[in-house]
Amino acid sequence: QWDEPRVCSRRYLKVDFADIGWNEWIISPKSFDAYYCAGACEFPMPKIVRPSNHATIQSIVRAVGIVPGIPEPCCVPDKMNSLGVLFLDENRNVVLKVYPNMSVETCACR
Amino acid sequence: SHTAPVQSNTPAAADNLVGYKDPQRFLGDAAAALGPGAQDMVAVHMLRLYEKYSRRSPRPGAGNTVRSFRPTLEVINQKAVYFFNLTSMQDSEMILTATFHFYSEPRWPQAHEVPCKQRAKNTSCRLLPPGPPSRQHLLFRSLSQNTATQGLLRGAMALAPPPRGLWQAKDISSMVKAARRDGELLLSAQLDSGEKDHGVPRPSPHAPYILIYANDLAISEPNSVAVTLQRYDPFQAGDPDPGTAPNSSTDPRVRRATQATGPLQDNELPGLDERPAHASHTQHYHKQELWPSPFRALKPRAGRKDRRKKGQDLFVASSQMLHFDEKTMQKARRK
């Protein structure tokens, strides 16, 4: 993790449903690659962090320092993927649901 | 009555499961995922759908939920009746399609003897060749929870006898939508061939099942995954008893707010003016005894009333003024 880039980017995270105690009723998948976003959104922001216009303005205001206490924009998921989950409901019937926004495709400063 | 055409686009056909006989062969390693009691055709079908949905996310509005329903089998008037409890459907789930899947075998009526006319002695009686296979009917009824009636007839379908044993699928969408609209989420299905069922039918891996393809309008709400999959407090001590209702907290720990026990006006050090609970007689503390070590374990403070009472008669002996060094005292006097 230490040689991760400083700038806002996607980091690897594998989620195992057994770690959060959901494996008793989740049939499949048992784990999935969820990823997460972390890193700096400081001025000047490189294009790769795909800042929104608001984030660009906020980081300039913060860099100029006129208004005290303005934080850096946040490094958050931008594009996300859904995940199909096969699980048992309370009556132990098999259910399939496709949940949106379960894993990170790209990160951005917002 | 309802004669739903067997649509070629029924999901079973689309999932090329039609004609599947032996679920065990199909399950493979997924069997472990399902657990021992669930290796039946409905499990196979759902795993098939899971693989399909995982390969290609469904188009928006094409449905993001598939619920399967296993039946409970009851014998009424010597006929096998399968009951499906559809109450686990969420209100936010809009039904797109509902299909009834069942395994049927050709039912050849038994060749039977015909009492032949006794025209002449010892003429051998002929056996009538078996007639055409008997037609079966599927009868669907719906009833609300805990009503004793047989329920409202929602539909009947004539079934062409299958050339060999195979799984079939029937579209029952309109029946299920009508039953749900009327709040009758208990559905019964009866395969009726007009003959009495020989022997009591037993639950088998060939039990029928219902699939409901729905579009969950709440799935894009924040935290929708927790609504259906978070079933108990993840910080609860120990494993939850599977029987407890989801989200119940049997945690023995009682959360306490940490509030001050009494007004903090006096500058007495807590615990110094109390007697230890076990001391029966009142003894007077001398200064050096009060501070045997720099850190004293604080004792629970008594209530305000007894503190005032105790405070009076102990005031002379052990009231504690804070002592400062000479220099600080001089400064204080100057001020």
Side-chain angles (χ1 to χ4, degrees):
Chain A
Q1 219 75 353
W2 300 115
D3 57 357
E4 297 278 355
R6 265 186 44 76
V7 77
C8 169
S9 56
R10 184 179 80 161
R11 313 300 168 92
Y12 184 68
L13 169 67
K14 175 178 180 170
V15 172
D16 191 322
F17 285 120
D19 294 342
I20 55 178
W22 291 7
N23 56 312
E24 291 165 42
W25 44 85
I26 290 185
I27 299 164
S28 213
K30 285 305 180 188
S31 66
F32 73 103
D33 295 336
Y35 297 97
Y36 68 97
C37 296
C41 292
E42 57 194 8
F43 182 81
M45 284 185 281
K47 196 176 277 187
I48 191 172
V49 300
R50 308 142 56 88
S52 60
N53 291 334
H54 176 271
T56 302
I57 299 293
Q58 180 176 329
S59 69
I60 294 171
V61 167
R62 171 184 158 82
V64 166
I66 292 177
V67 181
I70 299 291
E72 223 176 68
C74 299
C75 178
V76 296
D78 184 24
K79 265 198 223 134
M80 302 189 80
N81 296 321
S82 54
L83 179 77
V85 180
L86 196 66
F87 62 94
L88 294 172
D89 68 8
E90 280 80 353
N91 300 337
R92 298 198 70 76
N93 283 311
V94 184
V95 181
L96 167 63
K97 271 188 180 287
V98 182
Y99 293 98
N101 306 327
M102 287 287 276
S103 65
V104 178
E105 179 78 21
T106 60
C107 299
C109 290
R110 290 288 179 271
Chain B
S1 76
H2 174 98
T3 50
V6 181
Q7 295 166 13
S8 59
N9 62 345
T10 37
D15 302 326
N16 56 48
L17 279 168
V18 179
Y20 240 96
K21 270 195 175 175
D22 175 10
Q24 309 292 332
R25 201 159 35 86
F26 181 84
L27 276 175
D29 60 338
L34 284 160
Q39 296 167 20
D40 48 9
M41 197 54 183
V42 60
V44 170
H45 200 149
M46 289 302 286
L47 274 169
R48 191 85 180 161
L49 288 170
Y50 166 72
E51 283 162 10
K52 196 168 89 174
Y53 275 66
S54 299
R55 270 195 306 270
R56 176 176 33 88
S57 289
R59 299 180 314 281
N64 48 40
T65 296
V66 182
R67 281 189 181 276
S68 67
F69 296 92
R70 286 194 180 94
T72 47
L73 171 60
E74 295 196 17
V75 177
I76 300 175
N77 304 333
Q78 290 183 317
K79 293 218 182 289
V81 181
Y82 292 95
F83 284 90
F84 296 89
N85 179 352
L86 309 183
T87 53
S88 54
M89 269 196 296
Q90 320 263 323
D91 295 342
S92 59
E93 291 171 354
M94 296 299 119
I95 297 175
L96 301 173
T97 309
T99 49
F100 177 75
H101 302 258
F102 60 101
Y103 183 78
S104 59
E105 305 191 89
R107 302 172 66 91
W108 305 98
Q110 310 302 326
H112 52 278
E113 289 207 357
V114 179
C116 43
K117 291 185 189 55
Q118 298 293 339
R119 279 193 299 284
K121 276 215 181 320
N122 66 20
T123 45
S124 69
C125 284
R126 282 175 300 102
L127 281 181
L128 271 184
S134 59
R135 292 182 75 79
Q136 281 186 314
H137 287 81
L138 253 180
L139 303 175
F140 291 97
R141 291 185 174 82
S142 69
L143 51 155
S144 49
Q145 298 280 105
N146 51 49
T147 48
T149 66
Q150 263 208 1
L152 174 67
L153 183 64
R154 288 284 176 182
M157 299 177 188
L159 301 176
R164 54 182 167 72
L166 81 165
W167 282 90
Q168 298 186 56
K170 293 284 187 184
D171 188 310
I172 57 171
S173 309
S174 51
M175 280 185 243
V176 171
K177 288 176 185 173
R180 186 191 199 187
R181 198 175 40 243
D182 300 347
E184 299 190 336
L185 288 174
L186 206 54
L187 210 61
S188 74
Q190 184 182 337
L191 269 171
D192 184 22
S193 60
E195 299 158 3
K196 290 222 179 297
D197 281 328
H198 306 295
V200 177
R202 282 181 304 284
S204 82
H206 287 158
Y209 59 92
I210 286 178
L211 292 187
I212 293 186
Y213 295 76
N215 198 22
D216 186 349
L217 304 180
I219 207 159
S220 298
E221 297 291 315
N223 214 20
S224 62
V225 72
V227 169
T228 36
L229 293 178
Q230 174 99 44
R231 293 193 189 161
Y232 63 94
D233 176 355
F235 302 104
Q236 177 179 341
D239 284 346
D241 166 27
T244 52
N247 296 338
S248 73
S249 163
T250 54
D251 189 343
R253 287 170 299 172
V254 177
R255 290 177 191 282
R256 267 183 296 271
T258 52
Q259 71 273 356
T261 48
L264 296 180
Q265 284 123 15
D266 56 353
N267 63 356
E268 291 161 273
L269 289 180
L272 278 185
D273 55 352
E274 310 303 322
R275 295 210 162 299
H278 53 280
S280 53
H281 56 288
T282 57
Q283 74 225 25
H284 293 286
Y285 292 102
H286 295 289
K287 211 173 290 178
Q288 62 277 11
E289 276 169 11
L290 279 176
W291 302 93
S293 71
F295 302 106
R296 283 182 51 78
L298 294 185
K299 284 195 288 304
R301 296 169 62 91
R304 194 191 315 214
K305 199 174 351 51
D306 7 3
R307 200 165 58 232
R308 197 175 304 117
K309 183 172 67 53
K310 280 189 184 170
Q312 264 110 34
D313 59 11
L314 281 180
F315 185 73
V316 174
S318 66
S319 70
Q320 293 304 309
M321 294 300 286
L322 296 179
H323 287 275
F324 297 101
D325 54 51
E326 198 45 38
K327 200 164 151 231
T328 313
M329 294 306 281
Q330 279 167 11
K331 241 193 252 174
R333 287 191 201 106
R334 226 176 296 138
K335 274 186 185 169

